[in-house]
Amino acid sequence: MDKKGYFGEFGGQFVPETLMSALEELERAYGKFSRDKKCRAELARHLHEFAGRPTPLYFAERLTKKAGGAKIYLKREDLTHTGAHKINNAVGQVLLARFMGKSRIIAETGAGQHGVATATVAAKFGLECVVYMGEVDMERQKPNVLRMKLLGAEVVPVSSGSKTLKDAINEALRDWITNINTTHYLLGSVLGPYPYPQMIRNFQKVIGEEARRDILKREKRPPDYLVACVGGGSNAIGLFYPFLKDKKVQMIGVEAGGLGIASGKHAARFAGGRVGILHGTKSFVLQDKFGQIKETHSVSAGLDYPSVGPEHSFLREIGRAEYVSVTDKQALEAFSLLCETEGIIPALESSHAVAYGYALAKRLPKNKIVVINLSGRGDKDLETVTRAQSL
Ligand SMILES: *Cc1c(COP(=O)(O)O)cnc(C)c1O
């Protein structure tokens, strides 16, 4: 990392003056928290007892046979409590908020997955929880709205702009500025101003640490490829980060290709975006020629965001990681493939990684190893998949 809070030219703190002191307070508190042995032990205990870690590194035997090439392993984040890697970050930040003496947690959510993870952990630790959500998203994701309410969270409908995630983020930021003394803003991915991208990556790197330990035990060497889907980029960086020093391990992030890059209806920031600033950080952003944020599309709500974590922009720039895209159709095919060959119903987000990882394994010789991050389970996507399959 170069200047404080930057990855090369990416990252930084592009926020109004009124938020600077809150970010400084967060940076200081996180520094103390992460150096404190007792805090670290408590985090590890809750990740184990509440979130269900460590998750297995699973050899996908039938999928490997069917591909006829490289060995395929799946890192099973779908087996965590609430069914996705988001719980790792939620547990970390709620413990940090408590450490800072905050009594109130706010979050924003698009698909509702991050809202559910946040409401879950806030309930466990008895903190007040308010989740901002666009009205359009609330309509699209009713089961998650119900879950958050059952967990005791207040879900605030946002009716400004496109009534989706980016408008919910604006509302959450407004709330934070007003209630900074009592409130922690629990961001859900490796986005936003410093220290969020660094802090959230550190809460997610447990994925890669476990995967690395398990593959070394089993195969006596690091894998040849890591493959993960990239929305904001937290599950991907969580898997990649502990392998960065293993120079031969190739890393591939998979973005949402939607209806195809040429259609303009996608969320592939690296294929269709350019450098810009959104929600406090400098990274690749999907924008028009006037710098207005473009509408994105993906069959998976979790990948449907116009910017990407700044560390990914940096890893791409220095050539350490590669970024590709997979279309809705390819992801839906991979969804069915994994259901039928392994008895695992993956999240549509994760299905993007499965699609690319499977095609990659097919092209590789049998002595290669591919690890795919299965970021979440697909129960939440059954309606979407059923509708898509009947078209
Ligand atoms: C939210 C989500 C994602 C995308 O978020 P990242 O920060 O890119 O990991 C991916 N998979 C699942 C299952 C999700 O819920």
Side-chain angles (χ1 to χ4, degrees), residues 48-68:
H48 174 58
E49 292 176 1
F50 188 62
R53 306 207 70 86
T55 61
L57 182 71
Y58 167 78
F59 175 51
E61 197 172 346
R62 292 193 67 224
L63 193 66
T64 297
K65 265 213 189 96
K66 197 170 163 83

Side-chain angles (χ1 to χ4, degrees), residues 83-86 111 113-114 188-191 200 204 229-237 269 301-304 312 347-350 373-377 380-381:
H85 68 290
K86 288 193 171 75
Q113 294 302 107
H114 172 55
S189 189
V190 284
L191 295 160
I200 294 166
Q204 292 291 2
C229 66
V230 180
S234 69
N235 85 88
I237 204 75
R269 290 70 43 108
L303 303 185
D304 200 354
H312 287 290
L348 276 173
E349 291 83 1
S350 322
N373 204 12
L374 208 66
S375 54
R377 64 173 184 233
K380 67 184 179 57
D381 295 316

